[in-house]
Amino acid sequence: MLLPCLMIAIITSAAGTPMPPNSSLLGRSAYKPIMNGLNFPDPSIIRTLEGWHIFSTNSIVNGKRINIQAAHSPDFKTWTYRSGYDALPQLPSWVDPISPYVWAPDVNRRPDGTFILYYAALNKNINHHCLDYATSKSVDGPFTFTNSEPWICHASKGGAIDPSGYVDHLTNKRYVVYKVDGNAIGHGGDCGNTVAPIVPTPIMLQQVADDGHTTIGRPVQILDRDDGDGPYVEAPSLSWLDGNYILFFSSQCFVSPKYVSVNKSAKPTSRDVTYAIAKDIVGPYKKHEPLFDTGSYGMVAPGGGDIAINGNHLIWHANWGGGRAAFTAIVGLHGHKVKVKEH
């Protein structure tokens, strides 16, 4: 997740095309980003009858702030960026108007055919992020908010970020997973949370009604960081693959020098897209080795993975030039390991 002090611009060539990372990282099997490496961090994905739709964290495009970026593909291969379009053009009054930092949007379809968009934004009253939602009759938006106050906050624990909706096809119950942003009140070190006492950064599972926002019961913690995760875990996304619940998430600090290391010995502590597996939606979830980390398929600092609900189409970002470009793949569960089937 992009921290406020580290908003970054796309570095371009003379022709205006985002520049790739060091060419020594790119081999024959290297991934290449969609949309020519356009800055599209924290991407999320949803499929409709019209094709695939993706949404992204805020960015400055041609001098204009876009709160939530959007793009579309009819086939998961050719992507069209909606230049100049903002899926959430108006923000509620509790959002900091100077530095809104609208992060990690996620769009879900409701049973009545309308759509709900979850997002995190900087709450000017507490200087931490909180979650909220907006709705639209169309997946294309624009989405409009209805709340005068944030939806989910965990203010005393550092705020909340990275919401992602999920529908359990076994029970037809709806959920939202998100991260409590404990490192925002950490005591220093990498990403503010490697100096003791270490602050928890739990992944929470909140059941919601069919409207996508009326909460049912209290949130349940389904994962948290451990020493192998560095300062936090974040960017949760749930799916169902071959009889198992798969919780994708990222770990390790993205501003640490370890984040860009391609030394084999450093791979266990480099930024990643990883996952945990459970037989029950509330867990326990068993963590596995990363699906991607720095050096995988020539990528630098992959993170922020989102998988289509109960599907196998995955999107994530990785460093590319001066921004974070979106990448896609089709994955599958082989035994107890998620592997790439096609990219």
PDB file of all heavy atoms in Angstrom, residues 301-338:
ATOM      1  N   ALA A 301       9.434  -6.312  -6.706  1.00  0.00           N
ATOM      2  CA  ALA A 301       8.486  -5.912  -5.669  1.00  0.00           C
ATOM      3  C   ALA A 301       7.028  -6.130  -6.040  1.00  0.00           C
ATOM      4  O   ALA A 301       6.231  -5.204  -6.025  1.00  0.00           O
ATOM      5  CB  ALA A 301       8.729  -4.447  -5.312  1.00  0.00           C
ATOM      6  N   PRO A 302       6.630  -7.347  -6.379  1.00  0.00           N
ATOM      7  CA  PRO A 302       5.211  -7.606  -6.617  1.00  0.00           C
ATOM      8  C   PRO A 302       4.421  -7.522  -5.316  1.00  0.00           C
ATOM      9  O   PRO A 302       4.942  -7.802  -4.235  1.00  0.00           O
ATOM     10  CB  PRO A 302       5.203  -9.031  -7.175  1.00  0.00           C
ATOM     11  CG  PRO A 302       6.425  -9.661  -6.595  1.00  0.00           C
ATOM     12  CD  PRO A 302       7.449  -8.568  -6.511  1.00  0.00           C
ATOM     13  N   GLY A 303       3.150  -7.135  -5.423  1.00  0.00           N
ATOM     14  CA  GLY A 303       2.300  -7.032  -4.233  1.00  0.00           C
ATOM     15  C   GLY A 303       0.876  -6.704  -4.627  1.00  0.00           C
ATOM     16  O   GLY A 303       0.553  -6.489  -5.802  1.00  0.00           O
ATOM     17  N   GLY A 304       0.001  -6.643  -3.631  1.00  0.00           N
ATOM     18  CA  GLY A 304      -1.367  -6.199  -3.850  1.00  0.00           C
ATOM     19  C   GLY A 304      -2.184  -7.100  -4.746  1.00  0.00           C
ATOM     20  O   GLY A 304      -2.954  -6.611  -5.578  1.00  0.00           O
ATOM     21  N   GLY A 305      -2.069  -8.419  -4.589  1.00  0.00           N
ATOM     22  CA  GLY A 305      -2.809  -9.328  -5.454  1.00  0.00           C
ATOM     23  C   GLY A 305      -4.295  -9.342  -5.171  1.00  0.00           C
ATOM     24  O   GLY A 305      -4.728  -9.294  -4.019  1.00  0.00           O
ATOM     25  N   ASP A 306      -5.110  -9.418  -6.230  1.00  0.00           N
ATOM     26  CA  ASP A 306      -6.562  -9.558  -6.093  1.00  0.00           C
ATOM     27  C   ASP A 306      -7.030 -10.610  -7.086  1.00  0.00           C
ATOM     28  O   ASP A 306      -6.640 -10.586  -8.260  1.00  0.00           O
ATOM     29  CB  ASP A 306      -7.274  -8.233  -6.380  1.00  0.00           C
ATOM     30  CG  ASP A 306      -8.764  -8.331  -6.130  1.00  0.00           C
ATOM     31  OD1 ASP A 306      -9.171  -8.375  -4.954  1.00  0.00           O
ATOM     32  OD2 ASP A 306      -9.540  -8.356  -7.105  1.00  0.00           O
ATOM     33  N   ILE A 307      -7.867 -11.530  -6.609  1.00  0.00           N
ATOM     34  CA  ILE A 307      -8.338 -12.614  -7.460  1.00  0.00           C
ATOM     35  C   ILE A 307      -9.833 -12.489  -7.663  1.00  0.00           C
ATOM     36  O   ILE A 307     -10.575 -12.073  -6.760  1.00  0.00           O
ATOM     37  CB  ILE A 307      -7.972 -13.993  -6.859  1.00  0.00           C
ATOM     38  CG1 ILE A 307      -8.220 -15.105  -7.871  1.00  0.00           C
ATOM     39  CG2 ILE A 307      -8.687 -14.226  -5.537  1.00  0.00           C
ATOM     40  CD1 ILE A 307      -7.565 -16.425  -7.508  1.00  0.00           C
ATOM     41  N   ALA A 308     -10.295 -12.801  -8.883  1.00  0.00           N
ATOM     42  CA  ALA A 308     -11.718 -12.754  -9.172  1.00  0.00           C
ATOM     43  C   ALA A 308     -12.456 -13.688  -8.219  1.00  0.00           C
ATOM     44  O   ALA A 308     -11.986 -14.796  -7.926  1.00  0.00           O
ATOM     45  CB  ALA A 308     -11.976 -13.154 -10.630  1.00  0.00           C
ATOM     46  N   ILE A 309     -13.601 -13.264  -7.713  1.00  0.00           N
ATOM     47  CA  ILE A 309     -14.343 -14.024  -6.712  1.00  0.00           C
ATOM     48  C   ILE A 309     -14.633 -15.433  -7.210  1.00  0.00           C
ATOM     49  O   ILE A 309     -15.219 -15.628  -8.275  1.00  0.00           O
ATOM     50  CB  ILE A 309     -15.651 -13.301  -6.336  1.00  0.00           C
ATOM     51  CG1 ILE A 309     -15.333 -12.005  -5.567  1.00  0.00           C
ATOM     52  CG2 ILE A 309     -16.541 -14.195  -5.478  1.00  0.00           C
ATOM     53  CD1 ILE A 309     -16.559 -11.196  -5.211  1.00  0.00           C
ATOM     54  N   ASN A 310     -14.185 -16.421  -6.406  1.00  0.00           N
ATOM     55  CA  ASN A 310     -14.368 -17.836  -6.732  1.00  0.00           C
ATOM     56  C   ASN A 310     -13.881 -18.174  -8.143  1.00  0.00           C
ATOM     57  O   ASN A 310     -14.431 -19.037  -8.823  1.00  0.00           O
ATOM     58  CB  ASN A 310     -15.835 -18.248  -6.559  1.00  0.00           C
ATOM     59  CG  ASN A 310     -16.278 -18.122  -5.112  1.00  0.00           C
ATOM     60  OD1 ASN A 310     -15.519 -18.422  -4.202  1.00  0.00           O
ATOM     61  ND2 ASN A 310     -17.496 -17.662  -4.904  1.00  0.00           N
ATOM     62  N   GLY A 311     -12.834 -17.488  -8.553  1.00  0.00           N
ATOM     63  CA  GLY A 311     -12.263 -17.713  -9.879  1.00  0.00           C
ATOM     64  C   GLY A 311     -10.774 -17.928  -9.792  1.00  0.00           C
ATOM     65  O   GLY A 311     -10.204 -18.119  -8.711  1.00  0.00           O
ATOM     66  N   ASN A 312     -10.109 -17.877 -10.942  1.00  0.00           N
ATOM     67  CA  ASN A 312      -8.669 -18.129 -10.975  1.00  0.00           C
ATOM     68  C   ASN A 312      -7.914 -17.057 -11.752  1.00  0.00           C
ATOM     69  O   ASN A 312      -6.769 -17.264 -12.127  1.00  0.00           O
ATOM     70  CB  ASN A 312      -8.386 -19.500 -11.574  1.00  0.00           C
ATOM     71  CG  ASN A 312      -8.942 -19.653 -12.985  1.00  0.00           C
ATOM     72  OD1 ASN A 312      -9.576 -18.743 -13.526  1.00  0.00           O
ATOM     73  ND2 ASN A 312      -8.721 -20.807 -13.588  1.00  0.00           N
ATOM     74  N   HIS A 313      -8.549 -15.907 -11.990  1.00  0.00           N
ATOM     75  CA  HIS A 313      -7.903 -14.800 -12.696  1.00  0.00           C
ATOM     76  C   HIS A 313      -7.366 -13.818 -11.658  1.00  0.00           C
ATOM     77  O   HIS A 313      -8.129 -13.261 -10.862  1.00  0.00           O
ATOM     78  CB  HIS A 313      -8.882 -14.114 -13.639  1.00  0.00           C
ATOM     79  CG  HIS A 313      -9.232 -14.947 -14.838  1.00  0.00           C
ATOM     80  ND1 HIS A 313      -9.922 -16.128 -14.745  1.00  0.00           N
ATOM     81  CD2 HIS A 313      -8.975 -14.758 -16.171  1.00  0.00           C
ATOM     82  CE1 HIS A 313     -10.085 -16.639 -15.959  1.00  0.00           C
ATOM     83  NE2 HIS A 313      -9.515 -15.840 -16.831  1.00  0.00           N
ATOM     84  N   LEU A 314      -6.060 -13.623 -11.695  1.00  0.00           N
ATOM     85  CA  LEU A 314      -5.362 -12.840 -10.676  1.00  0.00           C
ATOM     86  C   LEU A 314      -4.767 -11.581 -11.291  1.00  0.00           C
ATOM     87  O   LEU A 314      -4.263 -11.592 -12.419  1.00  0.00           O
ATOM     88  CB  LEU A 314      -4.244 -13.700 -10.067  1.00  0.00           C
ATOM     89  CG  LEU A 314      -3.434 -13.097  -8.920  1.00  0.00           C
ATOM     90  CD1 LEU A 314      -4.274 -13.022  -7.646  1.00  0.00           C
ATOM     91  CD2 LEU A 314      -2.175 -13.945  -8.655  1.00  0.00           C
ATOM     92  N   ILE A 315      -4.808 -10.492 -10.511  1.00  0.00           N
ATOM     93  CA  ILE A 315      -4.158  -9.243 -10.907  1.00  0.00           C
ATOM     94  C   ILE A 315      -3.356  -8.731  -9.721  1.00  0.00           C
ATOM     95  O   ILE A 315      -3.729  -8.942  -8.567  1.00  0.00           O
ATOM     96  CB  ILE A 315      -5.191  -8.196 -11.389  1.00  0.00           C
ATOM     97  CG1 ILE A 315      -4.483  -6.970 -12.011  1.00  0.00           C
ATOM     98  CG2 ILE A 315      -6.138  -7.777 -10.258  1.00  0.00           C
ATOM     99  CD1 ILE A 315      -5.431  -6.043 -12.772  1.00  0.00           C
ATOM    100  N   TRP A 316      -2.212  -8.100  -9.985  1.00  0.00           N
ATOM    101  CA  TRP A 316      -1.378  -7.546  -8.929  1.00  0.00           C
ATOM    102  C   TRP A 316      -0.524  -6.445  -9.526  1.00  0.00           C
ATOM    103  O   TRP A 316      -0.584  -6.165 -10.724  1.00  0.00           O
ATOM    104  CB  TRP A 316      -0.502  -8.639  -8.301  1.00  0.00           C
ATOM    105  CG  TRP A 316       0.576  -9.177  -9.203  1.00  0.00           C
ATOM    106  CD1 TRP A 316       1.891  -8.823  -9.253  1.00  0.00           C
ATOM    107  CD2 TRP A 316       0.414 -10.182 -10.221  1.00  0.00           C
ATOM    108  NE1 TRP A 316       2.556  -9.524 -10.218  1.00  0.00           N
ATOM    109  CE2 TRP A 316       1.680 -10.378 -10.831  1.00  0.00           C
ATOM    110  CE3 TRP A 316      -0.668 -10.942 -10.680  1.00  0.00           C
ATOM    111  CZ2 TRP A 316       1.869 -11.280 -11.871  1.00  0.00           C
ATOM    112  CZ3 TRP A 316      -0.464 -11.848 -11.709  1.00  0.00           C
ATOM    113  CH2 TRP A 316       0.792 -12.014 -12.288  1.00  0.00           C
ATOM    114  N   HIS A 317       0.263  -5.769  -8.708  1.00  0.00           N
ATOM    115  CA  HIS A 317       1.169  -4.746  -9.226  1.00  0.00           C
ATOM    116  C   HIS A 317       2.619  -5.119  -8.906  1.00  0.00           C
ATOM    117  O   HIS A 317       2.886  -5.941  -8.033  1.00  0.00           O
ATOM    118  CB  HIS A 317       0.831  -3.357  -8.656  1.00  0.00           C
ATOM    119  CG  HIS A 317       1.091  -3.232  -7.177  1.00  0.00           C
ATOM    120  ND1 HIS A 317       0.107  -2.913  -6.259  1.00  0.00           N
ATOM    121  CD2 HIS A 317       2.224  -3.380  -6.420  1.00  0.00           C
ATOM    122  CE1 HIS A 317       0.626  -2.861  -5.048  1.00  0.00           C
ATOM    123  NE2 HIS A 317       1.912  -3.144  -5.122  1.00  0.00           N
ATOM    124  N   ALA A 318       3.525  -4.503  -9.632  1.00  0.00           N
ATOM    125  CA  ALA A 318       4.959  -4.616  -9.346  1.00  0.00           C
ATOM    126  C   ALA A 318       5.623  -3.335  -9.830  1.00  0.00           C
ATOM    127  O   ALA A 318       5.082  -2.614 -10.683  1.00  0.00           O
ATOM    128  CB  ALA A 318       5.570  -5.837 -10.031  1.00  0.00           C
ATOM    129  N   ASN A 319       6.805  -3.050  -9.290  1.00  0.00           N
ATOM    130  CA  ASN A 319       7.523  -1.847  -9.700  1.00  0.00           C
ATOM    131  C   ASN A 319       7.813  -1.876 -11.191  1.00  0.00           C
ATOM    132  O   ASN A 319       8.257  -2.901 -11.734  1.00  0.00           O
ATOM    133  CB  ASN A 319       8.849  -1.732  -8.945  1.00  0.00           C
ATOM    134  CG  ASN A 319       8.666  -1.171  -7.551  1.00  0.00           C
ATOM    135  OD1 ASN A 319       7.547  -1.033  -7.060  1.00  0.00           O
ATOM    136  ND2 ASN A 319       9.775  -0.857  -6.895  1.00  0.00           N
ATOM    137  N   TRP A 320       7.590  -0.725 -11.828  1.00  0.00           N
ATOM    138  CA  TRP A 320       7.867  -0.614 -13.258  1.00  0.00           C
ATOM    139  C   TRP A 320       8.159   0.846 -13.552  1.00  0.00           C
ATOM    140  O   TRP A 320       7.263   1.689 -13.428  1.00  0.00           O
ATOM    141  CB  TRP A 320       6.667  -1.093 -14.076  1.00  0.00           C
ATOM    142  CG  TRP A 320       6.956  -1.201 -15.544  1.00  0.00           C
ATOM    143  CD1 TRP A 320       6.730  -0.251 -16.507  1.00  0.00           C
ATOM    144  CD2 TRP A 320       7.518  -2.325 -16.238  1.00  0.00           C
ATOM    145  NE1 TRP A 320       7.116  -0.701 -17.739  1.00  0.00           N
ATOM    146  CE2 TRP A 320       7.599  -1.970 -17.610  1.00  0.00           C
ATOM    147  CE3 TRP A 320       7.958  -3.580 -15.840  1.00  0.00           C
ATOM    148  CZ2 TRP A 320       8.104  -2.852 -18.572  1.00  0.00           C
ATOM    149  CZ3 TRP A 320       8.456  -4.446 -16.793  1.00  0.00           C
ATOM    150  CH2 TRP A 320       8.521  -4.087 -18.134  1.00  0.00           C
ATOM    151  N   GLY A 321       9.400   1.146 -13.907  1.00  0.00           N
ATOM    152  CA  GLY A 321       9.758   2.544 -14.076  1.00  0.00           C
ATOM    153  C   GLY A 321       9.636   3.254 -12.741  1.00  0.00           C
ATOM    154  O   GLY A 321      10.147   2.807 -11.732  1.00  0.00           O
ATOM    155  N   GLY A 322       8.912   4.381 -12.720  1.00  0.00           N
ATOM    156  CA  GLY A 322       8.734   5.136 -11.474  1.00  0.00           C
ATOM    157  C   GLY A 322       7.413   4.879 -10.812  1.00  0.00           C
ATOM    158  O   GLY A 322       7.049   5.574  -9.868  1.00  0.00           O
ATOM    159  N   GLY A 323       6.653   3.902 -11.280  1.00  0.00           N
ATOM    160  CA  GLY A 323       5.354   3.616 -10.681  1.00  0.00           C
ATOM    161  C   GLY A 323       5.185   2.140 -10.391  1.00  0.00           C
ATOM    162  O   GLY A 323       6.156   1.387 -10.304  1.00  0.00           O
ATOM    163  N   ARG A 324       3.948   1.749 -10.226  1.00  0.00           N
ATOM    164  CA  ARG A 324       3.621   0.348  -9.976  1.00  0.00           C
ATOM    165  C   ARG A 324       2.599  -0.083 -11.013  1.00  0.00           C
ATOM    166  O   ARG A 324       1.450   0.371 -10.996  1.00  0.00           O
ATOM    167  CB  ARG A 324       3.086   0.166  -8.557  1.00  0.00           C
ATOM    168  CG  ARG A 324       4.139   0.430  -7.482  1.00  0.00           C
ATOM    169  CD  ARG A 324       3.574   0.249  -6.094  1.00  0.00           C
ATOM    170  NE  ARG A 324       2.560   1.250  -5.802  1.00  0.00           N
ATOM    171  CZ  ARG A 324       1.770   1.206  -4.731  1.00  0.00           C
ATOM    172  NH1 ARG A 324       1.848   0.207  -3.878  1.00  0.00           N
ATOM    173  NH2 ARG A 324       0.877   2.158  -4.525  1.00  0.00           N
ATOM    174  N   ALA A 325       3.024  -0.931 -11.924  1.00  0.00           N
ATOM    175  CA  ALA A 325       2.180  -1.358 -13.037  1.00  0.00           C
ATOM    176  C   ALA A 325       1.411  -2.623 -12.663  1.00  0.00           C
ATOM    177  O   ALA A 325       1.812  -3.380 -11.779  1.00  0.00           O
ATOM    178  CB  ALA A 325       3.042  -1.622 -14.269  1.00  0.00           C
ATOM    179  N   ALA A 326       0.307  -2.853 -13.373  1.00  0.00           N
ATOM    180  CA  ALA A 326      -0.523  -4.031 -13.122  1.00  0.00           C
ATOM    181  C   ALA A 326      -0.092  -5.197 -14.007  1.00  0.00           C
ATOM    182  O   ALA A 326       0.254  -5.019 -15.179  1.00  0.00           O
ATOM    183  CB  ALA A 326      -1.987  -3.685 -13.379  1.00  0.00           C
ATOM    184  N   PHE A 327      -0.139  -6.392 -13.431  1.00  0.00           N
ATOM    185  CA  PHE A 327       0.183  -7.636 -14.115  1.00  0.00           C
ATOM    186  C   PHE A 327      -0.980  -8.609 -13.913  1.00  0.00           C
ATOM    187  O   PHE A 327      -1.700  -8.521 -12.915  1.00  0.00           O
ATOM    188  CB  PHE A 327       1.456  -8.254 -13.545  1.00  0.00           C
ATOM    189  CG  PHE A 327       2.710  -7.458 -13.781  1.00  0.00           C
ATOM    190  CD1 PHE A 327       2.947  -6.283 -13.078  1.00  0.00           C
ATOM    191  CD2 PHE A 327       3.665  -7.898 -14.685  1.00  0.00           C
ATOM    192  CE1 PHE A 327       4.113  -5.552 -13.285  1.00  0.00           C
ATOM    193  CE2 PHE A 327       4.834  -7.178 -14.895  1.00  0.00           C
ATOM    194  CZ  PHE A 327       5.057  -6.006 -14.198  1.00  0.00           C
ATOM    195  N   THR A 328      -1.143  -9.557 -14.833  1.00  0.00           N
ATOM    196  CA  THR A 328      -2.229 -10.520 -14.721  1.00  0.00           C
ATOM    197  C   THR A 328      -1.729 -11.936 -14.981  1.00  0.00           C
ATOM    198  O   THR A 328      -0.725 -12.146 -15.663  1.00  0.00           O
ATOM    199  CB  THR A 328      -3.363 -10.216 -15.722  1.00  0.00           C
ATOM    200  OG1 THR A 328      -2.833 -10.261 -17.056  1.00  0.00           O
ATOM    201  CG2 THR A 328      -3.988  -8.853 -15.460  1.00  0.00           C
ATOM    202  N   ALA A 329      -2.467 -12.904 -14.438  1.00  0.00           N
ATOM    203  CA  ALA A 329      -2.172 -14.316 -14.679  1.00  0.00           C
ATOM    204  C   ALA A 329      -3.403 -15.139 -14.343  1.00  0.00           C
ATOM    205  O   ALA A 329      -4.319 -14.675 -13.649  1.00  0.00           O
ATOM    206  CB  ALA A 329      -0.985 -14.779 -13.848  1.00  0.00           C
ATOM    207  N   ILE A 330      -3.422 -16.376 -14.834  1.00  0.00           N
ATOM    208  CA  ILE A 330      -4.421 -17.358 -14.447  1.00  0.00           C
ATOM    209  C   ILE A 330      -3.711 -18.385 -13.570  1.00  0.00           C
ATOM    210  O   ILE A 330      -2.641 -18.872 -13.928  1.00  0.00           O
ATOM    211  CB  ILE A 330      -5.062 -18.023 -15.676  1.00  0.00           C
ATOM    212  CG1 ILE A 330      -5.788 -16.965 -16.509  1.00  0.00           C
ATOM    213  CG2 ILE A 330      -6.026 -19.126 -15.263  1.00  0.00           C
ATOM    214  CD1 ILE A 330      -6.326 -17.482 -17.827  1.00  0.00           C
ATOM    215  N   VAL A 331      -4.283 -18.677 -12.415  1.00  0.00           N
ATOM    216  CA  VAL A 331      -3.631 -19.557 -11.453  1.00  0.00           C
ATOM    217  C   VAL A 331      -4.522 -20.757 -11.147  1.00  0.00           C
ATOM    218  O   VAL A 331      -5.707 -20.782 -11.464  1.00  0.00           O
ATOM    219  CB  VAL A 331      -3.305 -18.800 -10.142  1.00  0.00           C
ATOM    220  CG1 VAL A 331      -2.351 -17.644 -10.413  1.00  0.00           C
ATOM    221  CG2 VAL A 331      -4.578 -18.294  -9.469  1.00  0.00           C
ATOM    222  N   GLY A 332      -3.929 -21.760 -10.524  1.00  0.00           N
ATOM    223  CA  GLY A 332      -4.670 -22.942 -10.112  1.00  0.00           C
ATOM    224  C   GLY A 332      -4.045 -23.541  -8.876  1.00  0.00           C
ATOM    225  O   GLY A 332      -2.892 -23.250  -8.534  1.00  0.00           O
ATOM    226  N   LEU A 333      -4.809 -24.372  -8.189  1.00  0.00           N
ATOM    227  CA  LEU A 333      -4.315 -25.046  -7.007  1.00  0.00           C
ATOM    228  C   LEU A 333      -3.870 -26.448  -7.378  1.00  0.00           C
ATOM    229  O   LEU A 333      -4.643 -27.242  -7.912  1.00  0.00           O
ATOM    230  CB  LEU A 333      -5.403 -25.107  -5.932  1.00  0.00           C
ATOM    231  CG  LEU A 333      -4.978 -25.618  -4.556  1.00  0.00           C
ATOM    232  CD1 LEU A 333      -3.951 -24.680  -3.928  1.00  0.00           C
ATOM    233  CD2 LEU A 333      -6.191 -25.750  -3.636  1.00  0.00           C
ATOM    234  N   HIS A 334      -2.601 -26.749  -7.121  1.00  0.00           N
ATOM    235  CA  HIS A 334      -2.033 -28.066  -7.415  1.00  0.00           C
ATOM    236  C   HIS A 334      -1.572 -28.665  -6.096  1.00  0.00           C
ATOM    237  O   HIS A 334      -0.565 -28.244  -5.534  1.00  0.00           O
ATOM    238  CB  HIS A 334      -0.866 -27.932  -8.398  1.00  0.00           C
ATOM    239  CG  HIS A 334      -1.248 -27.341  -9.709  1.00  0.00           C
ATOM    240  ND1 HIS A 334      -1.600 -28.107 -10.790  1.00  0.00           N
ATOM    241  CD2 HIS A 334      -1.370 -26.039 -10.105  1.00  0.00           C
ATOM    242  CE1 HIS A 334      -1.912 -27.302 -11.813  1.00  0.00           C
ATOM    243  NE2 HIS A 334      -1.774 -26.047 -11.412  1.00  0.00           N
ATOM    244  N   GLY A 335      -2.331 -29.650  -5.606  1.00  0.00           N
ATOM    245  CA  GLY A 335      -2.058 -30.137  -4.269  1.00  0.00           C
ATOM    246  C   GLY A 335      -2.407 -29.051  -3.271  1.00  0.00           C
ATOM    247  O   GLY A 335      -3.551 -28.607  -3.192  1.00  0.00           O
ATOM    248  N   HIS A 336      -1.405 -28.570  -2.547  1.00  0.00           N
ATOM    249  CA  HIS A 336      -1.617 -27.471  -1.632  1.00  0.00           C
ATOM    250  C   HIS A 336      -0.756 -26.264  -2.010  1.00  0.00           C
ATOM    251  O   HIS A 336      -0.353 -25.475  -1.154  1.00  0.00           O
ATOM    252  CB  HIS A 336      -1.325 -27.910  -0.186  1.00  0.00           C
ATOM    253  CG  HIS A 336      -2.344 -28.851   0.359  1.00  0.00           C
ATOM    254  ND1 HIS A 336      -3.597 -28.438   0.771  1.00  0.00           N
ATOM    255  CD2 HIS A 336      -2.315 -30.187   0.538  1.00  0.00           C
ATOM    256  CE1 HIS A 336      -4.284 -29.480   1.196  1.00  0.00           C
ATOM    257  NE2 HIS A 336      -3.532 -30.564   1.055  1.00  0.00           N
ATOM    258  N   LYS A 337      -0.481 -26.142  -3.311  1.00  0.00           N
ATOM    259  CA  LYS A 337       0.288 -25.011  -3.782  1.00  0.00           C
ATOM    260  C   LYS A 337      -0.443 -24.306  -4.928  1.00  0.00           C
ATOM    261  O   LYS A 337      -0.951 -24.962  -5.841  1.00  0.00           O
ATOM    262  CB  LYS A 337       1.677 -25.461  -4.273  1.00  0.00           C
ATOM    263  CG  LYS A 337       2.611 -25.889  -3.150  1.00  0.00           C
ATOM    264  CD  LYS A 337       4.014 -26.130  -3.688  1.00  0.00           C
ATOM    265  CE  LYS A 337       4.962 -26.470  -2.536  1.00  0.00           C
ATOM    266  NZ  LYS A 337       6.359 -26.666  -3.044  1.00  0.00           N
ATOM    267  N   VAL A 338      -0.510 -22.987  -4.841  1.00  0.00           N
ATOM    268  CA  VAL A 338      -1.046 -22.189  -5.954  1.00  0.00           C
ATOM    269  C   VAL A 338       0.067 -21.998  -6.965  1.00  0.00           C
ATOM    270  O   VAL A 338       1.181 -21.592  -6.600  1.00  0.00           O
ATOM    271  CB  VAL A 338      -1.566 -20.833  -5.448  1.00  0.00           C
ATOM    272  CG1 VAL A 338      -2.032 -19.981  -6.626  1.00  0.00           C
ATOM    273  CG2 VAL A 338      -2.695 -21.029  -4.447  1.00  0.00           C
TER     274      VAL A 338
END
